[in-house]
Amino acid sequence: MTQVFNFSSGPAVLPLEVLQQVQAELLDWHGSGMSVMEMSHRGPEFGQILAEAEADLRTLMAIPENYKVLFLQGGAHLQFAMLPLNFAQADSTIDFVNTGHWSKVAIKEVSRYANVNIAASSEDKNFSYVPDEATWQRTPDAAFLHYCSNETIGGVEFNHIPESNGVPLICDMSSNILSRPVNVNQFGMIYAGAQKNMGPSGVAMSIVREDLLGKARSDTPTMLNYKTYADNGSMYNTPPSFGIYVAGLIFKYVLKQGGLAAMEQKNIAKANVIYSAIDASNGFYHCPTAAANRSRMNIPFTLADSNLDKEFLAGAEARHLLQLKGHRSVGGMRASIYNAMSLQGCQVLADYMNEFARTKG
């Protein structure tokens, strides 16, 4: 098999040893004679898979007992609608920090169901930074404060947990969950799609403080009520069982790597390799993100001469460096280096960047 380095923003690279375990167990999970894709979600085999996945995630993130861990479908997109239906009324105001594309998508959806106050925005500088918290214009009685901890397109990441000023803090962690330790106690809710750091597409996860449950609007559809999932152990209907199984293997993988503190150090080292190549290029490459808010997960960069973009991408692909084309809304390049991307992959990319700059600069 040709070794490639997959820098896709999602669905993203998965750990090789996890894929190998999936392959080994695909036809027969632990002597059951069944694939996980075939077994009943009500049976003891999948019950064990689900219980271990939740237990391992609780260990990884030190999730307190008064928080429910929920596995859902629909990705973060569906939860953009679930949030106001569960935690706000039609006349409520929800505070948002707008730091990029995914913040904007969430704001658009949430504003269909409640009032939205943009407490802070970095749109004035093309979403290249996190606004200073001292400048945020908050609503004293907001239903909740929402932010996206890492914007995949702009490569902007929060390096701190905002002060919520007494209102529930809700965070979309889809693209940097499990990449660093977080204090779950500071949040009312954390939610994330799986396809960056947790597993294949098709699974979403929510960590919800129990006192926030049971307050959904009366007309909230059953399947959009978080309490439905909490009361039924994420199995009110057939869950995304195979995706949960793979996510569970990834939780075990991260634990084996030393947990989130160890993963953070690896991610810092990986990101530094690529950012160093950008910064040492004398302007041949440029990262638009403010240095203090550079993402460890998604690194956007442009070439000083955009006419070289196609040649750069073709050369990268010839070296098995894949999925480096930037998002269509911003152009340029983007290297997504989630947990499963190796330091070797980042170094190979940086070496190629240095070589290309020397020959074309």
Side-chain angles (χ1 to χ4, degrees), residues 224-333:
L224 299 187
N225 191 331
Y226 286 112
K227 195 171 188 298
T228 300
Y229 299 88
D231 288 349
N232 292 278
S234 298
M235 292 205 297
Y236 176 79
N237 69 327
T238 306
S241 54
F242 191 78
I244 292 171
Y245 155 69
V246 180
L249 296 182
I250 288 178
F251 300 157
K252 292 183 185 300
Y253 165 82
V254 177
L255 284 167
K256 184 179 176 182
Q257 300 303 304
L260 300 189
M263 196 59 68
E264 179 178 35
Q265 293 309 306
K266 292 180 180 181
N267 286 325
I268 290 172
K270 286 155 46 181
N272 284 344
V273 167
I274 299 175
Y275 283 122
S276 294
I278 294 170
D279 294 340
S281 70
N282 294 317
F284 188 88
Y285 302 109
H286 171 68
C287 174
T289 312
N293 306 124
R294 284 178 166 181
S295 172
R296 299 172 187 168
M297 299 285 99
N298 310 95
I299 303 178
F301 60 95
T302 57
L303 278 61
D305 182 359
S306 61
N307 292 319
L308 293 173
D309 286 4
K310 288 184 178 179
E311 186 177 351
F312 176 90
L313 290 169
E317 188 166 346
R319 290 162 176 78
H320 309 300
L321 302 165
L322 307 182
Q323 304 292 323
L324 283 166
K325 187 176 182 180
H327 191 271
R328 61 185 179 278
S329 65
V330 296
M333 315 301 160

Side-chain angles (χ1 to χ4, degrees), residues 76-111:
H77 267 92
L78 185 62
Q79 296 192 59
F80 296 158
M82 294 174 73
L83 296 177
L85 294 175
N86 281 267
F87 306 131
Q89 299 301 313
D91 59 352
S92 299
T93 297
I94 298 167
D95 282 355
F96 264 85
V97 183
N98 182 15
T99 51
H101 175 83
W102 293 111
S103 297
K104 290 178 69 175
V105 173
I107 288 165
K108 182 178 179 181
E109 185 68 11
V110 168
S111 65

Side-chain angles (χ1 to χ4, degrees), residues 126-147:
N126 200 29
F127 298 119
S128 60
Y129 70 102
V130 172
D132 184 343
E133 203 168 329
T135 68
W136 296 8
Q137 301 297 310
R138 305 167 184 261
T139 306
D141 59 348
F144 58 85
L145 170 65
H146 182 284
Y147 76 108

